[in-house]
Amino acid sequence: KLVIQLRQKKQEATKLRKKAEEQVKEFRSAEKRSLSGLQSLDKKIESEKEESSDVSTVLTRKNSQLESIGRLVAAAEERLAREKEALEQTEQEIEFAENDLEKQNAEARLRSLSDKINELVEEIKSRQKTAKKISGDVTDFSDIKSKIVSKIQKQTKSKPSLRETKSSSHKSVQKFLKELERRTKAEESAQKSLDKAYSKLKELLAKKKTAAKKR
């Protein structure tokens, strides 16, 4: 009866020890997953920060180009206004020229002014076209940056949850490691008691056998 009781006790101790092992394994796996998730998330955030920095650099360059073109267009428009004033003045000089020589000189200046005006108009149109394209690029890159920043914010918000899971899993691992150690010792103690009982039972059976032979 004692052997049977001790065997059951040992089986129960083994069952509890295996359960503790499974719990340690489960929480270690959860800790490992959360740690891996954190590392992966940190890499993504770092990569997206670099991408955001690259986009910011492009945006800065594009905005500088826009400002530069704006200054060039403004300067060209000022020159255009002056050339148009000169053109009107020259047209009046032609109208009121006192002789053919004055008229011819004024007409030559008029042709030169007309050429300059046409050049300035084309320059302004070309620069405005370029500015429109760059402005579109600025809008596109601003949208890209906004999306990246939004992703970084979203991923950063998920970090505390992963950290909490990692921390709680680590604490649970430590708790069940102690439990496993206690259950292992209990199993070993039960095995020793069972071994002793088996030895005693063998001795009793041997004595019984010897006594039976003597009878």
Side-chain angles (χ1 to χ4, degrees):
K1 284 180 181 179
L2 180 61
V3 167
I4 290 169
Q5 287 174 358
L6 289 170
R7 187 185 294 151
Q8 288 173 342
K9 187 177 179 181
K10 194 267 177 182
Q11 286 173 347
E12 183 63 24
T14 301
K15 184 180 176 182
L16 291 170
R17 190 259 304 161
K18 286 182 177 178
K19 186 179 178 182
E21 279 181 346
E22 286 173 5
Q23 286 170 320
V24 168
K25 187 178 179 181
E26 180 185 339
F27 285 108
R28 267 185 175 157
S29 179
E31 183 184 12
K32 189 176 179 181
R33 283 197 306 272
S34 56
L35 178 61
S36 176
L38 274 171
Q39 290 171 339
S40 176
L41 195 59
D42 283 337
K43 284 181 182 177
K44 283 181 181 178
I45 290 172
E46 190 59 35
S47 173
E48 280 158 7
K49 280 182 178 177
E50 288 177 6
E51 189 178 351
S52 177
S53 177
D54 291 342
V55 172
S56 294
T57 301
V58 174
L59 272 172
T60 301
R61 189 173 71 247
K62 294 286 182 183
N63 282 319
S64 294
Q65 288 174 340
L66 271 179
E67 289 173 8
S68 177
I69 290 170
R71 288 192 296 270
L72 290 170
V73 168
E77 285 175 341
E78 285 180 10
R79 290 202 307 273
L80 180 61
R82 290 197 298 270
E83 297 296 339
K84 282 182 176 180
E85 284 178 8
L87 183 74
E88 289 176 4
Q89 187 178 344
T90 304
E91 285 175 344
Q92 290 176 2
E93 288 177 6
I94 292 171
E95 187 178 349
F96 297 106
E98 293 180 355
N99 55 58
D100 288 341
L101 183 59
E102 279 186 10
K103 188 176 181 180
Q104 287 173 2
N105 288 336
E107 286 174 345
R109 286 199 305 278
L110 185 69
R111 286 192 294 272
S112 177
L113 287 166
S114 294
D115 290 340
K116 284 181 181 179
I117 287 170
N118 289 333
E119 285 176 9
L120 286 168
V121 168
E122 288 304 314
E123 179 187 337
I124 290 167
K125 284 181 181 178
S126 176
R127 293 193 187 283
Q128 286 175 335
K129 185 179 178 182
T130 303
K132 187 177 179 181
K133 182 181 179 303
I134 294 172
S135 183
D137 291 341
V138 168
T139 301
D140 291 341
F141 280 104
S142 294
D143 289 342
I144 291 168
K145 185 177 178 179
S146 179
K147 287 176 183 176
I148 295 170
V149 170
S150 179
K151 280 173 71 178
I152 291 171
Q153 289 174 343
K154 187 178 178 181
Q155 288 167 343
T156 302
K157 284 179 182 177
S158 67
K159 285 179 77 174
S161 175
L162 281 170
R163 283 202 187 97
E164 179 60 32
T165 302
K166 178 180 172 293
S167 177
S168 61
S169 297
H170 181 75
K171 286 176 183 176
S172 296
V173 167
Q174 299 307 310
K175 174 186 172 183
F176 284 106
L177 276 173
K178 289 177 182 178
E179 179 73 7
L180 177 60
E181 185 181 1
R182 192 166 65 83
R183 295 298 182 186
T184 302
K185 285 180 180 178
E187 183 186 22
E188 289 171 352
S189 176
Q191 184 65 55
K192 286 178 182 178
S193 297
L194 183 59
D195 290 343
K196 284 180 183 179
Y198 267 128
S199 297
K200 205 159 191 176
L201 179 61
K202 284 179 182 178
E203 286 176 12
L204 289 170
L205 288 172
K207 286 178 182 179
K208 188 178 178 181
K209 193 174 181 182
T210 303
K213 282 181 180 179
K214 285 180 180 180
R215 285 199 300 271

